[in-house]
Amino acid sequence: MKLEKHHYCYLFVIFLFLGIVSVELFSDGMFMDGLFYADISRNMAEGLGTFWKPHFTNCVGNEFYGHPPLAFGLQSIFFKLLGDSIYIERFYSLLTYIIVGYLIVLIWAKLTRDKKNGWIPLFLWLSTSGVTWAAANNMLENTMSVFVCLSIFFYLNSFDKRRFLWVILSGLTLFLGLLTKGFVCLYIWSVPFFIWVFMRKISLPKMIADTVIVVAFTILPVILLFFIVPDAQNNMLNYLNEQIIGSIQNTRTVNSRFAIIGGFFGNIITPLIVGLIILAVALKKKVQKSLFKENLRESLMFFAIVLSGVLPIMISMKQRYFYILTVYPLFSIGLAYYLYPMIKSIFSIVEINKKKIVIFKVLTVIIVLASTILSISQVNKVGRDKDMIFASKAIIEVVGKNTTINICSEIASHWSLHGYLSRYGNVSLDKNQNHICQYYLSLGDCNKNRIKKEYNLLPIKMKRYKLYRMKGIK
């Protein structure tokens, strides 16, 4: 197949993203949350825990209800099919990005009837701060972004044919989003309203009907599961108490409810700068003034949907910037759609000769080769948490897999250590001093009197930790 100019644009964007993310994605070490999710998914694949009763370790999260279980269930399928490797969760995370990227292009094509230039919103999305980080760290939002974008795509399809079928599918995919990361995906319920407000593509009665259908087919499956499947009911109630009610009442990670707003605008600085550069070039090239307003209403619609996904996070003082990762595909589409008339006009004015095209193609080939080589070079390397990963593997080599060891209370909050020991060897850390185990992991001089009396220090060189074996055991 002969590659055309737009193919090179896609290749440039995709492999530039791969090159940026590859160092984190393909090396060992992961952000704590994503590490936990990989542990739980792998455990589920190996029969430790079930879909409705996920399992983290024997001592922490024996039944894990911190999040709904769908992403764990989906990722566990990959572990079942492909085996246990640290690259399974990375492949799964990358696959979610491939799907979301494809859906961005499909939504773009639905709006513009121009699939060839779908690389424009794709580039803006991948240039958003935090997006590449999430791809490398196995975040639940990666999976939820798939369902959010699917829901938008299905709803846009309802304007062409089989309206009720597509609206129902839009609601059902939001149900899957709800089952992935909870209520933070429900801002998509606002889509019919904002389409009616900004685009007037549907009448008021149709907008109300569509909203009712989407909401109904998001909630009805939840209600059915709640009353028909006892384990599902138990999972949902525990999730509500632990994660939702608990986070609103007790958990505080920011000093201001407006922190999420600052985080959002901080993350979109790069695509905004790109947009401003395009506007500056358009003004310099004296493109028609009407083009600056041509897609304004539709773009504002997307920005309104995005804000409806950001502002509700202010309810809680437990805020993390990755909670709103699912809004960035929609933001990139909205911004690209606004810039699209100016971009087309600029390309029609600026002379792009054969020499410039050849230079761009050569640059694209270089990017593809460099990204591929960089990705391969990261295999078997350690990225973040080098000391902790070394310590975890050294501990497992001594105590063996599928074991439980005692720890002093100071180590109990070293959550990444829990994660790595579980990930590499299914080793659990027990801080309960009444539970006697053959091995004891300490930090500094904690519980030194008991340790000196009952345990012998093992000659393992670790920067922070000391491993002991019970006296009399070889």
Side-chain angles (χ1 to χ4, degrees):
M1 184 184 75
K2 184 181 178 181
L3 294 180
E4 298 180 22
K5 284 184 287 186
H6 69 277
H7 292 137
Y8 283 95
C9 291
Y10 275 110
L11 287 172
F12 181 87
V13 171
I14 292 167
F15 280 89
L16 181 63
F17 161 73
L18 184 62
I20 293 170
V21 78
S22 61
V23 174
E24 262 195 292
L25 182 65
F26 296 112
S27 61
D28 203 350
M30 188 173 282
F31 178 64
M32 180 188 72
D33 291 29
L35 177 63
F36 283 15
Y37 306 151
D39 289 337
I40 293 165
S41 302
R42 189 278 317 272
N43 289 341
M44 194 178 292
E46 295 183 353
L48 299 172
T50 64
F51 183 83
W52 293 113
K53 292 182 179 180
H55 171 83
F56 178 37
T57 78
N58 294 333
C59 306
V60 178
N62 187 30
E63 291 184 6
F64 181 86
Y65 299 116
H67 297 291
L70 182 58
F72 308 141
L74 291 174
Q75 195 168 121
S76 73
I77 296 171
F78 284 74
F79 280 105
K80 283 184 179 180
L81 294 176
L82 303 175
D84 184 9
S85 162
I86 64 166
Y87 297 105
I88 304 301
E89 56 262 40
R90 287 158 173 79
F91 171 71
Y92 174 85
S93 189
L94 185 60
L95 181 61
T96 62
Y97 267 62
I98 293 171
I99 296 171
V100 171
Y102 184 61
L103 287 169
I104 287 173
V105 174
L106 289 181
I107 293 169
W108 172 263
K110 205 78 183 168
L111 294 169
T112 64
R113 310 296 178 187
D114 179 16
K115 200 171 184 179
K116 288 183 178 181
N117 285 311
W119 60 270
I120 300 172
L122 206 57
F123 173 75
L124 293 175
W125 173 52
L126 296 176
S127 68
T128 303
S129 178
V131 169
T132 52
W133 173 85
N137 286 285
N138 194 36
M139 304 307 294
L140 294 181
E141 286 77 9
N142 302 348
T143 302
M144 190 168 67
S145 292
V146 173
F147 298 124
V148 164
C149 290
L150 263 178
S151 183
I152 292 277
F153 177 66
F154 287 154
Y155 188 72
L156 291 177
N157 275 341
S158 71
F159 297 117
D160 296 334
K161 55 183 178 179
R162 298 177 182 175
R163 173 171 162 254
F164 287 109
L165 173 63
W166 290 116
V167 176
I168 289 169
L169 286 174
S170 180
L172 290 174
T173 48
L174 274 189
F175 155 68
L176 297 178
L178 193 62
L179 211 57
T180 299
K181 188 68 194 289
F183 299 109
V184 286
C185 70
L186 297 185
Y187 68 95
I188 301 300
W189 282 351
S190 68
V191 170
F193 172 75
F194 286 124
I195 287 179
W196 174 73
V197 169
F198 288 97
M199 297 175 66
R200 298 293 179 180
K201 279 191 105 174
I202 50 176
S203 63
L204 178 61
K206 280 189 176 181
M207 181 275 290
I208 295 172
D210 286 354
T211 303
V212 169
I213 293 169
V214 171
V215 171
F217 280 90
T218 303
I219 295 177
L220 282 175
V222 177
I223 295 172
L224 288 173
L225 285 171
F226 187 85
F227 288 105
I228 294 174
V229 183
D231 284 345
Q233 181 182 115
N234 178 64
N235 183 289
M236 293 176 193
L237 290 174
N238 277 284
Y239 168 70
L240 281 171
N241 289 325
E242 288 183 22
Q243 191 71 8
I244 305 302
I245 298 173
S247 68
I248 293 174
Q249 293 180 344
N250 307 315
T251 309
R252 185 187 183 101
T253 60
V254 292
N255 296 320
S256 168
R257 295 188 186 277
F258 293 94
I260 197 68
I261 306 296
F264 168 68
F265 283 105
N267 281 346
I268 62 172
I269 284 176
T270 302
L272 285 178
I273 290 173
V274 172
L276 289 172
I277 291 171
I278 292 170
L279 289 176
V281 173
L283 288 169
K284 186 177 180 181
K285 295 296 180 181
K286 298 180 180 179
V287 302
Q288 295 179 22
K289 290 183 179 180
S290 61
L291 296 180
F292 290 87
K293 297 180 180 179
E294 187 173 315
N295 289 344
L296 182 60
R297 290 174 65 88
E298 293 86 347
S299 299
L300 289 174
M301 176 199 73
F302 275 99
F303 298 151
I305 296 169
V306 166
L307 288 177
S308 71
V310 175
L311 298 179
I313 304 297
M314 295 170 62
I315 294 172
S316 172
M317 292 296 283
K318 182 185 178 184
Q319 299 179 12
R320 305 293 294 274
Y321 297 153
F322 53 79
Y323 289 176
I324 56 173
L325 278 167
T326 63
V327 308
Y328 296 126
L330 307 182
F331 172 80
S332 68
I333 294 169
L335 180 58
Y337 195 59
Y338 174 68
L339 297 171
Y340 184 52
M342 282 80 83
I343 292 172
K344 285 196 298 182
S345 180
I346 290 168
F347 277 118
S348 68
I349 296 170
V350 176
E351 183 183 351
I352 302 176
N353 55 38
K354 190 175 181 180
K355 184 180 177 181
K356 290 179 181 177
I357 293 172
V358 170
I359 292 171
F360 177 71
K361 287 182 178 180
V362 171
L363 180 61
T364 300
V365 171
I366 292 171
I367 289 289
V368 170
L369 291 175
S371 297
T372 303
I373 293 168
L374 186 60
S375 299
I376 294 170
S377 70
Q378 299 308 310
V379 176
N380 296 324
K381 287 188 176 181
V382 178
R384 61 186 293 162
D385 301 330
K386 290 183 180 180
D387 293 338
M388 193 167 286
I389 288 172
F390 172 82
S392 299
K393 291 182 177 180
I395 291 166
I396 292 167
E397 192 173 337
V398 174
V399 307
K401 295 184 177 183
N402 304 306
T403 57
T404 299
I405 64 177
N406 284 127
I407 56 170
C408 56
S409 57
E410 288 85 344
I411 296 177
S413 60
H414 293 196
W415 298 114
S416 289
L417 183 66
H418 289 268
Y420 287 121
L421 284 169
S422 173
R423 183 69 189 87
Y424 300 135
N426 196 30
V427 172
S428 301
L429 302 179
D430 191 351
K431 68 177 182 178
N432 190 331
Q433 303 303 308
N434 295 322
H435 297 165
I436 308 301
C437 299
Q438 292 184 7
Y439 293 93
Y440 197 105
L441 189 68
S442 77
L443 182 70
D445 294 326
C446 67
N447 291 341
K448 61 181 181 179
N449 293 330
R450 177 193 168 183
I451 291 172
K452 186 177 181 180
K453 181 180 178 182
E454 301 177 8
Y455 293 87
N456 290 321
L457 178 65
L458 296 176
I460 302 175
K461 293 182 179 179
M462 294 183 286
K463 285 190 175 181
R464 301 184 67 188
Y465 306 108
K466 296 177 182 177
L467 184 65
Y468 298 84
R469 180 190 286 129
M470 188 173 285
K471 290 180 178 180
I473 296 177
K474 295 183 180 179

